[in-house]
């Protein structure tokens, strides 16, 4: 478990005593109403609204990526071990390389593919925001943050990369990594922040996975915890190749609604992590109601694909109720395909999981962390719902 800085611990305490604001009082922008006022009532009308929402999130929140797949992108299989994990998996270590006239970049993708299978394996890809020891390819260090053995045992390939490969998580991140390689000399107010750069990295890892014959490219889930969870949601919202999108304890500017949220606010996150989002996002500090979007619309951008939101009881800084209610508020969009989103209206009891819709949810007992309990729930939900990207 991560230890909270004393200041955060005090804030967590304050948030824990806050009253949950009911959905009806949050004044959310409607996911199914276009900016023009036109209502979206059929799945055929959704792509126009989806495009509009993506633009709004790019402009006001995460920022605009200056590049998609670079022409210079190359994959190099650096190392492979067909008898990894005592023989149950094949390890592949792939260098995902790219460059611009300013220099080179490289993402190190670690991949374990189950050996016992007759068809390509579905996969979970973790966007790892903790030290690279959590995704140790040698397996000398094992961590619940990425329980690769358990993932493989359930028939899934386990893939992971560390976010620092793409851009460092520092206040001067915009000078480094993918920002340094690809940003125009003058950063616009809607230029991408570091969360968007990491999401771009996840799509480059996906570029590799779709080329690997051992992987079922139609069944790749993207997973992230906390800042990695915000990243997974933004990656999955934009890149429809991710068949299942999983947010663990992602809180502010992740799964949690901004309007009516307790714990971390937009002003808090912009102050503590000024490099994560577009400059424009700072103009919404203490002005949540002025933001033309809210986070349920980010979840809605995943529809009709399955999504999963996980919270933890003590993670009041993230605000479990606001994470849960974002799933509830995204649900009408799933109805366009006659799918249930999150079929619940009140927060479930700790330890209880909701897996009977296309938005899964659980509230784990405990603190801000990604644990085996979370992973087991993600895999059970994937067993049920990650069949294909098509409705
Ligand atoms: C917290 C931050 C959250 C979340 C988290 C993490 O301190 O306020 O938004 O991203 O860190 O990534 O662990």
């Amino acid at each position: 478990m991560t230890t909270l800085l004393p200041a955060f611990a005090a804030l967590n305490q304050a948030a824990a005593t806050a009253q949950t604001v009911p959905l009806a009082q949050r004044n959310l922008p409607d996911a199914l109403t276009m900016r023009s006022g036109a209502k979206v009532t059929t799945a055929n009308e959704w792509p126009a609204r989806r495009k509009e929402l993506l633009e709004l999130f790019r402009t006001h929140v995460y920022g605009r990526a200056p590049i998609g797949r670079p022409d210079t992108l190359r994959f190099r299989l650096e190392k492979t071990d067909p008898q990894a994990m005592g023989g149950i998996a094949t390890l592949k270590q792939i260098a995902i390389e790219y460059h611009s006239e300013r220099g080179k970049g490289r993402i190190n993708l670690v991949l374990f593919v189950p050996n016992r299978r007759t068809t390509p394996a579905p996969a979970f890809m973790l966007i790892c925001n903790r030290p690279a020891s959590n995704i140790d390819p040698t397996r000398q260090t094992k961590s619940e943050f990425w329980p690769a053995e358990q993932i493989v045992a359930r028939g899934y390939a386990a893939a992971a990369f560390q976010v620092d490969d793409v851009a460092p998580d520092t206040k001067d991140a915009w000078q480094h990594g993918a920002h340094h390689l690809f940003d125009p000399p003058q950063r616009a107010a809607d230029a991408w922040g570091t969360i968007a750069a990491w999401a771009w990295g996840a799509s480059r890892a996906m570029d590799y996975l779709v080329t690997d014959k051992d992987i079922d490219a139609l069944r790749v889930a993207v997973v992230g915890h906390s800042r990695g969870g915000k990243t997974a949601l933004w990656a999955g919202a934009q890149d429809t190749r991710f068949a299942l999108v999983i947010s663990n304890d992602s809180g502010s500017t992740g799964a949690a609604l901004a309007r009516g949220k307790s714990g971390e606010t937009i002003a808090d996150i912009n102050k503590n992590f000024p490099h994560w989002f577009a400059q424009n996002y700072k103009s919404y500090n203490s002005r949540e109601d002025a933001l033309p979007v809210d986070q349920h619309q980010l979840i809605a951008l995943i529809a009709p694909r399955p999504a999963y939101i996980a919270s933890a009881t003590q993670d009041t800084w993230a605000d479990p109720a606001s994470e849960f209610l974002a799933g509830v508020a995204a649900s009408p969009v799933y109805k366009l395909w006659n799918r249930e989103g999150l079929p619940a209206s009140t927060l479930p009891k700790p330890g209880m999981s909701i897996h009977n819709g296309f938005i899964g949810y659980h509230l784990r007992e405990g603190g801000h962390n990604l644990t085996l309990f979370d992973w087991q729930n993600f895999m059970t939900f994937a067993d049920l719902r990650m069949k294909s990207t098509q409705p």
Side-chain angles (χ1 to χ4, degrees):
M1 207 173 96
T2 40
T3 28
L4 289 171
L5 298 171
F8 281 132
L11 288 165
N12 237 352
Q13 206 64 46
T17 54
Q19 283 285 318
T20 297
V21 178
L23 208 44
Q25 287 169 28
R26 292 196 186 219
N27 230 339
L28 297 181
D30 182 21
L32 289 169
T33 305
M34 303 279 301
R35 299 277 279 171
S36 66
K39 302 272 182 213
V40 173
T41 55
T42 65
N44 285 342
E45 290 165 356
W46 177 248
R49 176 61 171 155
R50 180 179 149 75
K51 197 167 162 224
E52 184 174 76
L53 284 172
L54 280 170
E55 274 305 296
L56 290 170
F57 277 107
R58 281 191 188 110
T59 306
H60 301 278
V61 183
Y62 301 100
R64 199 172 298 280
I67 190 167
R69 178 187 171 124
D71 292 340
T72 60
L73 194 75
R74 298 287 179 272
F75 312 120
R76 204 154 43 76
L77 182 61
E78 288 212 297
K79 200 177 157 191
T80 179
D81 175 5
Q83 291 299 315
M85 295 179 169
I88 67 160
T90 296
L91 165 68
K92 301 187 198 190
Q93 288 179 255
I94 301 105
I96 299 171
E97 296 172 326
Y98 40 88
H99 60 266
S100 76
E101 65 286 354
R102 297 188 202 134
K104 294 180 184 170
R106 168 198 170 117
I107 299 167
N108 300 300
L109 186 70
V110 183
L111 174 64
F112 287 98
V113 187
N115 283 339
R116 225 179 70 192
R117 63 186 168 82
T118 50
T119 52
F124 279 88
M125 184 173 77
L126 175 70
I127 299 170
C128 181
N129 59 299
R130 289 207 182 151
S133 56
N134 286 280
I135 57 168
D136 180 14
T138 72
R139 307 313 290 153
Q140 271 159 17
T141 307
K142 292 191 181 122
S143 155
E144 285 194 21
F145 201 74
W146 189 55
E149 283 75 8
Q150 283 87 345
I151 297 171
V152 165
R154 287 188 63 162
Y156 291 94
F161 71 93
Q162 215 279 335
V163 294
D164 289 36
D165 290 354
V166 185
D169 192 3
T170 51
K171 290 187 181 168
D172 66 349
W174 294 347
Q175 316 295 322
H176 303 284
H179 292 293
H180 164 69
L181 293 180
F182 302 120
D183 284 6
Q186 285 296 314
R187 279 181 64 85
D190 66 350
W192 63 348
T194 303
I195 298 275
W198 296 337
W200 173 88
S203 286
R204 305 294 67 84
M206 188 62 180
D207 290 341
Y208 167 77
L209 290 176
V210 302
T211 69
D212 189 323
K213 300 274 181 293
D214 291 334
I215 302 296
D216 180 350
L218 291 179
R219 288 192 294 157
V220 176
V222 62
V223 187
H225 166 68
S226 204
R227 63 199 75 187
K230 306 178 210 297
T231 308
L233 290 171
W234 183 229
Q238 296 178 96
D239 190 337
T240 55
R241 295 175 301 175
F242 292 113
L244 164 62
V245 182
I246 303 171
S247 145
N248 193 74
D249 301 0
S250 63
S252 170
T253 328
L257 295 169
R259 287 168 178 78
K261 185 182 184 306
S262 61
E264 186 172 32
T265 62
I266 294 176
D268 292 323
I269 204 165
N270 279 328
K271 178 165 173 284
N272 295 323
F273 306 100
H275 55 294
W276 279 0
F277 307 107
Q279 279 294 1
N280 277 342
Y281 196 43
K282 298 188 172 72
S283 65
Y284 299 100
N285 288 351
S286 311
R287 291 178 65 237
E288 279 76 6
D289 282 322
L291 194 62
V293 287
D294 209 318
Q295 298 305 113
H296 62 303
Q297 297 171 322
L298 182 67
I299 313 290
L301 286 168
I302 297 160
R305 294 165 293 154
Y308 200 105
I309 303 169
S311 311
T313 52
Q314 291 164 23
D315 191 16
T316 46
W317 187 235
D319 187 3
S322 291
E323 294 175 326
F324 169 78
L325 289 175
V328 175
S331 297
V333 176
Y334 282 79
K335 286 272 189 234
L336 297 175
W337 294 268
N338 288 319
R339 289 188 163 177
E340 287 282 354
L342 181 48
S345 50
T346 50
L347 199 63
K349 289 204 169 50
M352 302 290 285
S353 308
I354 305 174
H355 290 169
N356 55 333
F358 277 79
I359 303 175
Y361 182 85
H362 71 251
L363 175 63
R364 174 177 46 74
E365 198 87 66
H368 186 67
N369 200 0
L370 174 55
T371 70
L372 191 54
F373 175 89
D374 297 310
W375 278 102
Q376 277 160 347
N377 274 280
F378 303 157
M379 289 191 276
T380 301
F381 185 73
D383 292 347
L384 284 167
R385 294 279 173 252
M386 194 167 64
K387 305 278 190 214
S388 119
T389 51
Q390 302 307 317

